[in-house]
Amino acid sequence: MSTDRTILIIDDDIDLVEILRMTLENEGFRVIDAQSGQRGLDAARDQHPDLILLDVMMGAVDEGFQVAYVLRGDEATRDIPILMLTAVTDQTGFGFDPAKDQDFLPVDEFLEKPVSPRMLVDLVRKHLPAQA
Amino acid sequence: MTTVPALLDEPSSHFVSAASLRRRLVWFDKLRWAAVVGALCATAVATRVLPSSLPTGELLAVTGVLAVLNTVYTIRNRRVPPTRLPVELMHVKLQMAGDLVLLTVMLNLSGGIENPLLYLYLVHVIIASLLFKGRDVFHIAGLAIVLFTADVAGEYFHILPHHHLLSAGPITHEPPFILLTLGAFCLVQLVAAYIGSTIMKHNRAIKDELVDRQKELLAADRAKLEFFRFVTHEIKSPVATAQSAVDAVLELKGLELPEKVRDLLERAVNRLGHALTMIKDLAEFTRGGDVKRETMETVDLNVLIARITDQLSEEASRRNITVTMDLPPDQPYMLGNPGMLQKIVSNLVSNAVRYSEDGGQVNILLRMDPGVVVLTVSDRGIGIAPEDQGRVFDEFYRTSQAQQMSNLGTGLGLPIVRRFTEQMGGTIELQSEPGRGSTFTLRLPRQDLPSGSRETS
């Protein structure tokens, strides 16, 4: 069991946070959450989680991206894997293609909402760095 | 009069633009050539048939002038691009005034008031009423009256020579005859100008109104799409979250749910999933495709089709449906929006699979013709009744057979296909027979690949 691995969820949809929390805690992860980009950045720096689930669109259209850039640019958080939750594909018309956009999108994986619990757990496991 | 909003490229309060006026001008050039030929024929016939001797040389000379002028007009009207409406209008008026002067000279040479062809002036008034607004029409009619009266008066007072058309009879110098003819002429010109300009004024008002109405309709349609888009976006999040919630409960390890509860939750997930599919389709539909040059990519259609059939292979093999493909051997590239192409092809192929009976057959045929890509997707499934064939491309329309067969459809698949196809400048065609299957034929224009284009699919 992957005990003691901490996952930070940055999402302003508290319902979704609770859903993800239930699934992840049930798998033995520790879950912390932040309801805004700024609080997410603070939490990432202070608590250095093992993985971050980041919602692409909070207050502003691209707040998630901005948070991801800051995380990648900061020495303290650079190495934390980021899974990005999107619903944006249907909305603004800029479709993501991770294979193509990876060079300039600083995240490890995209997950389109609604997220299937099994896929979420699989991807979290896949991207968690090997336990020290 | 309704005022036309300033959205239009050009002021077209009487429904003429520089470009449309230019088309008329080109048409007039052709009419004028006909007039040149007509004048030549009439002169030839007149010199042979009529007892009097007309000044053939002069008549031919005037016709020659008309021909030269028309050559100049024709070259100008074809070579110089139309600029502004007032400039074009000025040209029309000048050309028309020149035509009237030449007509007057021709009439002078061929009998003046004796010549019944004086009613050719009417042609100009009619044309003017088609082109101009009220006052200008009367200018043309007035110019015709002035020119013709001047000629008649000049001949009467022996300032201008009079050439007899029929006989040397004295009637042409009888004031009552002259005054009667001139009066009738003026009356007809003015009445024609009045009727023509009045009718056209009404026509233009109607046309302007139609344009306004159409603009309103287009704006309303855009507003409707905008509203759909907004609602779609607002609804998607809660539905997705609700589905995730139920999903999370169902997938929770170590949770023993009573069977009845699990069954109900699964039903809920299915319904929410269906709603989400519809929301996504709606989002796709209302967003519309992006056909801007920047979003175009070189797409290998074989790869695209392979990827789509791959996604459907599970359903196909579960239901024992054979999917055969007839694809061109060399890589069939086309320039287009990959997302739109993907959506078009996948909707067609997944429909073919969905509405096939178990054990059925689906065939995909791709042909790269010069300038056009032809994709044919055919199945031997339930088919579409003739009365439904026109409607399956309508939003949310599902045939009753389709509804019986599958509750998965949203009624948006084919509308999306049609919309995207049209946005890409293509066509979609349907042939179907109930019980025998359907064949959809997609034709998309093939754009030339830019040099050095990258392959992305």
Side-chain angles (χ1 to χ4, degrees):
Chain A
M1 279 301 267
S2 35
T3 40
D4 295 317
R5 314 299 305 267
T6 303
I7 293 167
L8 168 63
I9 302 174
I10 309 177
D11 194 329
D12 61 351
D13 181 348
I14 186 67
D15 296 332
L16 194 64
V17 169
E18 291 311 317
I19 293 163
L20 297 173
R21 182 202 300 281
M22 184 177 81
T23 302
L24 291 170
E25 283 183 348
N26 190 244
E27 294 290 326
F29 298 106
R30 193 170 85 88
V31 175
I32 53 178
D33 68 276
Q35 260 101 72
S36 77
Q38 188 52 52
R39 269 178 272 169
L41 286 172
D42 295 342
R45 285 186 192 117
D46 296 347
Q47 311 201 31
H48 201 277
D50 297 284
L51 185 141
I52 295 173
L53 279 175
L54 176 59
D55 184 44
V56 71
M57 198 152 40
M58 286 171 280
V61 171
D62 60 345
E63 192 177 341
F65 281 113
Q66 290 169 13
V67 171
Y69 277 109
V70 175
L71 287 172
R72 280 292 183 259
D74 189 331
E75 201 64 50
T77 54
R78 176 168 295 168
D79 56 324
I80 307 174
I82 302 174
L83 306 190
M84 189 166 263
L85 299 168
T86 67
V88 81
T89 348
D90 298 87
Q91 219 269 120
T92 58
F94 50 90
F96 303 112
D97 184 352
K100 205 168 72 192
D101 300 337
Q102 212 153 38
D103 296 342
F104 57 95
L105 289 178
V107 299
D108 297 86
E109 192 95 46
F110 288 102
L111 264 148
E112 203 187 330
K113 292 185 207 170
V115 185
S116 116
R118 199 172 305 158
M119 188 186 273
L120 172 73
V121 171
D122 287 351
L123 285 174
V124 165
R125 290 238 160 82
K126 177 181 156 199
H127 287 283
L128 267 180
Q131 206 143 14
Chain B
M1 274 296 280
T2 44
T3 44
V4 175
L7 317 157
L8 278 183
D9 307 346
E10 299 187 67
S12 75
S13 52
H14 62 300
F15 223 80
V16 178
S17 66
S20 75
L21 203 54
R22 176 59 69 87
R23 286 194 291 279
R24 295 270 171 85
L25 277 179
V26 171
W27 179 56
F28 291 158
D29 294 341
K30 288 180 187 153
L31 282 183
R32 214 176 274 113
W33 286 122
V36 168
V37 173
L40 287 176
C41 294
T43 309
V45 171
T47 46
R48 248 153 248 205
V49 175
L50 294 178
S52 58
S53 61
L54 290 174
T56 316
E58 279 105 320
L59 279 172
L60 290 178
V62 179
T63 312
V65 171
L66 183 63
V68 170
L69 278 179
N70 201 33
T71 309
V72 175
Y73 297 160
T74 307
I75 292 173
R76 186 257 168 195
N77 289 338
R78 282 171 197 271
R79 295 277 165 83
V80 185
T83 47
R84 292 183 312 116
L85 188 59
V87 177
E88 289 295 308
L89 269 176
M90 178 72 88
H91 274 272
V92 186
K93 282 182 199 166
L94 284 177
Q95 290 178 12
M96 211 172 251
D99 290 343
L100 286 176
V101 170
L102 286 180
L103 175 62
T104 310
V105 175
M106 296 278 271
L107 281 175
N108 171 268
L109 293 171
S110 57
I113 203 160
E114 284 179 53
N115 193 338
L117 285 177
L118 62 92
Y119 285 103
L120 279 178
Y121 283 114
L122 264 185
V123 173
H124 295 80
V125 174
I126 292 169
I127 290 177
S129 64
L130 292 178
L131 287 187
F132 306 138
K133 277 199 280 191
R135 222 182 322 144
D136 295 337
V137 182
F138 285 96
H139 289 167
I140 294 294
L143 181 62
I145 289 172
V146 167
L147 284 170
F148 186 63
T149 310
D151 175 61
V152 170
E155 289 183 31
Y156 181 76
F157 294 112
H158 301 290
I159 303 166
L160 295 170
H162 177 74
H163 306 273
H164 283 292
L165 182 68
L166 297 170
S167 65
I171 189 171
T172 50
H173 276 76
E174 296 275 338
F177 169 77
I178 293 176
L179 288 177
L180 206 62
T181 310
L182 259 187
F185 174 75
C186 296
L187 183 71
V188 171
Q189 290 288 105
L190 292 174
V191 168
Y194 173 73
I195 293 179
S197 59
T198 311
I199 292 176
M200 283 309 289
K201 194 176 154 192
H202 284 293
N203 271 355
R204 284 169 191 137
I206 292 169
K207 274 188 158 181
D208 283 344
E209 182 140 340
L210 280 178
V211 168
D212 286 349
R213 285 281 167 284
Q214 198 191 7
K215 270 190 228 142
E216 282 167 19
L217 281 177
L218 283 174
D221 196 48
R222 268 197 301 274
K224 189 184 78 183
L225 272 184
E226 205 57 50
F227 174 73
F228 266 133
R229 203 182 329 224
F230 173 76
V231 170
T232 308
H233 173 54
E234 291 300 303
I235 285 181
K236 186 181 175 186
S237 240
V239 174
T241 304
Q243 197 196 23
S244 294
V246 185
D247 250 342
V249 171
L250 280 172
E251 302 253 337
L252 210 58
K253 280 184 191 153
L255 179 68
E256 283 302 324
L257 286 171
E259 197 168 327
K260 190 77 199 155
V261 172
R262 178 166 288 277
D263 177 58
L264 282 182
L265 289 180
E266 271 163 7
R267 283 170 190 272
V269 165
N270 281 342
R271 293 300 286 268
L272 288 168
H274 189 211
L276 262 182
T277 314
M278 186 172 270
I279 289 167
K280 281 183 192 167
D281 275 358
L282 251 182
E284 196 88 50
F285 184 75
T286 54
R287 187 177 80 223
D290 194 346
V291 283
K292 284 199 294 281
R293 196 91 190 160
E294 306 87 78
T295 62
M296 299 258 218
E297 285 175 15
T298 312
V299 180
D300 183 334
L301 293 171
N302 279 357
V303 173
L304 184 100
I305 292 171
R307 198 163 48 198
I308 288 163
T309 49
D310 203 45
Q311 283 165 4
L312 290 165
S313 61
E314 196 203 358
E315 185 186 350
S317 66
R318 178 164 47 80
R319 295 178 46 210
N320 201 17
I321 294 169
T322 328
V323 180
T324 57
M325 280 175 276
D326 190 349
L327 307 177
D330 50 331
Q331 290 151 321
Y333 289 121
M334 82 168 270
L335 195 63
N337 177 313
M340 286 168 76
L341 282 171
Q342 151 90 24
K343 200 79 196 167
I344 293 173
V345 180
S346 88
N347 281 357
L348 289 178
V349 178
S350 64
N351 271 356
V353 171
R354 182 180 295 160
Y355 300 115
S356 282
E357 311 284 355
D358 289 2
Q361 198 173 356
V362 171
N363 186 258
I364 304 169
L365 167 70
L366 176 65
R367 226 175 48 223
M368 304 297 276
D369 286 351
V372 61
V373 178
V374 186
L375 177 78
T376 313
V377 180
S378 44
D379 63 63
R380 298 183 190 163
I382 58 172
I384 302 166
E387 63 269 22
D388 283 329
Q389 289 180 13
R391 299 187 63 188
V392 288
F393 293 101
D394 292 349
E395 296 92 348
F396 301 113
Y397 185 78
R398 297 191 69 211
T399 67
S400 47
Q401 290 85 346
Q403 289 178 33
Q404 279 169 23
M405 180 105 184
S406 158
N407 58 8
L408 285 175
T410 58
L412 282 167
L414 288 176
I416 289 174
V417 168
R418 185 177 64 174
R419 197 171 150 87
F420 284 6
T421 303
E422 283 171 358
Q423 281 174 342
M424 295 175 85
T427 58
I428 179 86
E429 217 174 90
L430 162 64
Q431 284 169 317
S432 185
E433 210 180 310
R436 304 288 294 271
S438 306
T439 299
F440 287 86
T441 308
L442 173 77
R443 286 191 179 77
L444 290 174
R446 249 175 111 178
Q447 312 223 16
D448 290 332
L449 298 182
S451 50
S453 59
R454 67 201 176 111
E455 187 204 338
T456 44
S457 272

